[in-house]
Amino acid sequence: MFELAKQRLASVFKYIEVDEEVISRLSVAKRAIIASIPVRMDNGELKIFTGYRVQYDDTRGPTKGGIRYHPRVNLDEVTSLSFWMTVKCAVAGLPFGGAKGGVTVNPKELSKLELERLSRGYIRAFADVLGEARDIPAPDVYTNSTIMGWMADEYSTISRRQVPEMITGKPLHLGGSQGRESATGQGALYTLEEYAKRHQWNISQVTIAIQGFGNAGYHFARLASRMGFRVLAVSDSKGAIYSSSGLNVEDVYRFKQEEKKLASVYCDGSVCNMLDYEEISNEDLLALKVDVLVLGALENQVTQLNADKVQAVTILEIANGPVTPQADEILEARGIQVIPDVLANSGGVVVSYFEWVQNKSGFYWEAPEVREKLHNIMRRESNVVFDLANHHQCTLRTAAYIHGIERLAGAIDQRGNKKYFST
Ligand code: GLU
C-alpha cells in the first residue's frame, strides 16, 4: 500500500522541479514505532494488542494525525496514512507534519472499560514520542472524542501537568473545539461547493451517493442535504439504502443509532411503512448513476476491478485513500474527476489545528468563528488546487500533490541542501 501511495509523489515530479534531497526525504518515514499494549480484559484475562505510531515528516512542524482502531491495522497501512497526513497538512497550509497511529483490534468486541484501558495503554506505550510540540494525535476510524478525552487524561497524568494541546478531537468540556466533530464533513462540503460553483451546478439538482456513514460520512450527508443537495444513497459496513427521491438523513441516523445498522432502517416493521427506501449492496452503491459519489469509508474501495463500473460524474474522497492509483488511471480515461482526500477531507485536521491553537492560548472560539475560519481555508486551498489543475492540465489529485509538495519542498530546501552547502 505504501509503495502505491508513493506513486502519487512520482507523478508530481513531471510537473515541478524538486531537489533530489526533497524526494529522498519524502520517500521514507522519519520514525515508525510498534509497541505491545497489554490490557486486562473484563474476564480477568490479559490480552496483548499491537499498537503503531508512524511520524512521517516533521519539517513543517510537529507531526499530526489520528489513531485508528481496526482489525486490519498494520504498519504498511499506518505508514501510508502518515504519508497522506504529511501531504494533507501541507495542502491545507497548517504548521504541522504528518503522522498516524493505530491498534489492531475490533473495538466493537470490547466493553467500554476494556476500550478505556486499551486507550490509556496506547498513551503509556507512546508517551515518550508524543506531545504538543512533538506529535499530536486525533480521532480516526473507530476512535472518537471520548477516547481522545481518556488519552489526554492519561498523558496529563504521566506528565504531571495539564496538556490538552497534546491531542485534538477531545470532548468540548475537556478542551475540545466547537465544530471539530463535524469538521471533516463540513470541510468536504465547502470544497464541493467551490467545485459546484466552477462547474455551474444547480445544487438542488445534484444527486449524491455516500459510502460510509461514520463521523465523516454522516455529517457530510446531513450538511449536504441541509444545503439542498439530493442524497440518494448511504451505506455502512453492513449494507446500503437507496431512494430515488432522496433520503431523510436525520431519520436514517436516528434509526441506525437505535439498531446499529442501516439495514434496520430499510425494514423494521412500522419503520418500513414510514421509510420508503430500497436495500442495495455496497457494490451497487458504488455503481449508482449519480452526480457525486462520496467515498467516506476505508482505503482501496475503488480499484482496477470496479473502477469501470462507476457511473458518477465526480468522486469526492472523504476517507483516506479510497481510490487506488490503478483506479485513478481508469477513472481519468473515462473522464471521471476525483476530488482527492488530501484536499477534500482536510477539514478535520484544520479544526484540529484550531483546537490546538485554542488550547495553547487558553481562549475559546464560538462555533460561527470556527466555521468561518474553516470555510476560508477550504475555499482558498480548493481554488488553488483547481487553478493548478487547469494550469498544468492534470488531475485534481496531481494538482493537490503539486500544491502540498511545493510547500514541503520549500521547507526542506530552506533547512539546507547540497546546492546550498556547496556554493
Ligand atoms: N484522522 C483525521 C484525518 O485523517 C484527522 C487527523 C487530525 O485531526 O489530526 O485527517
Side-chain angles (χ1 to χ4, degrees), residues 5-24:
K6 277 200 296 189
Q7 282 181 14
R8 261 83 186 245
L9 204 56
S11 67
V12 166
F13 304 134
K14 280 193 279 189
Y15 297 92
I16 51 169
E17 221 178 287
V18 175
D19 193 276
E20 251 172 56
E21 289 187 19
V22 172
I23 304 177
S24 320

Side-chain angles (χ1 to χ4, degrees), residues 100-248:
K100 203 75 168 204
V103 179
T104 313
V105 57
N106 181 355
K108 293 176 186 168
E109 285 171 359
L110 299 189
S111 74
K112 217 161 177 185
L113 276 170
E114 288 167 344
L115 201 59
E116 187 198 4
R117 291 195 283 269
L118 174 66
S119 304
R120 290 184 183 276
Y122 184 92
I123 294 299
R124 283 197 298 277
F126 293 98
D128 288 339
V129 296
L130 300 175
E132 71 283 12
R134 274 195 204 111
D135 180 15
I136 305 141
D140 197 75
V141 173
Y142 294 149
T143 54
N144 56 22
S145 59
T146 308
I147 293 173
M148 298 305 111
W150 293 330
M151 290 182 162
D153 183 56
E154 189 64 26
Y155 190 81
S156 296
T157 307
I158 293 170
S159 320
R160 301 212 161 269
R161 63 194 173 108
Q162 290 283 351
V163 213
E165 62 269 38
M166 66 75 53
I167 198 163
T168 58
K170 300 179 290 296
L172 269 184
H173 296 297
L174 292 175
S177 174
Q178 294 285 349
R180 175 62 186 87
E181 200 80 31
S182 55
T184 308
Q186 179 68 265
L189 189 58
Y190 287 144
T191 291
L192 184 61
E193 218 188 323
E194 294 308 308
Y195 183 88
K197 265 190 231 157
R198 292 214 171 201
H199 290 79
Q200 290 167 348
W201 282 358
N202 176 351
I203 285 183
S204 63
Q205 281 165 17
V206 174
T207 54
I208 300 185
I210 305 171
Q211 185 200 39
F213 206 58
N215 177 271
Y218 159 62
H219 285 290
F220 177 86
R222 179 176 66 80
L223 296 164
S225 56
R226 196 201 278 170
M227 198 173 196
F229 285 102
R230 291 177 53 216
V231 178
L232 301 192
V234 295
S235 73
D236 66 7
S237 57
K238 300 194 182 78
I241 50 170
Y242 170 80
S243 161
S244 57
S245 57
L247 303 172
N248 181 327

Side-chain angles (χ1 to χ4, degrees), residues 288-358:
L288 280 177
K289 206 167 164 43
V290 285
D291 296 306
V292 185
L293 173 62
V294 178
L295 300 174
L298 289 167
E299 53 271 10
N300 302 338
Q301 296 302 301
V302 176
T303 66
Q304 74 262 43
L305 301 176
N306 61 2
D308 59 334
K309 300 205 176 68
V310 173
Q311 291 194 71
V313 178
T314 302
I315 290 180
L316 180 71
E317 293 185 321
I318 61 175
N320 292 305
V323 177
T324 64
Q326 296 96 325
D328 263 349
E329 279 173 26
I330 300 171
L331 295 170
E332 189 185 356
R334 296 186 53 219
I336 299 171
Q337 274 202 319
V338 180
I339 309 178
D341 48 6
V342 291
L343 170 71
N345 74 23
S346 63
V349 72
V350 169
V351 179
S352 275
Y353 165 56
F354 297 163
E355 183 173 331
W356 180 74
V357 169
Q358 291 170 79

Side-chain angles (χ1 to χ4, degrees), residues 5 8-9 12 26 56-57 60 64 80-94 96-99 341-343 346 349 397-408:
R8 261 83 186 245
L9 204 56
V12 166
L26 290 180
Y56 198 85
D57 182 83
R60 302 185 67 260
K64 184 90 193 76
S80 311
L81 289 159
S82 71
F83 167 72
W84 289 325
M85 278 310 302
T86 308
V87 178
K88 192 191 302 187
C89 290
V91 169
L94 309 178
F96 291 137
D341 48 6
V342 291
L343 170 71
S346 63
V349 72
R397 187 181 319 276
T398 301
Y401 273 71
I402 290 174
H403 186 34
I405 299 303
E406 279 191 323
R407 281 184 169 144
L408 275 156

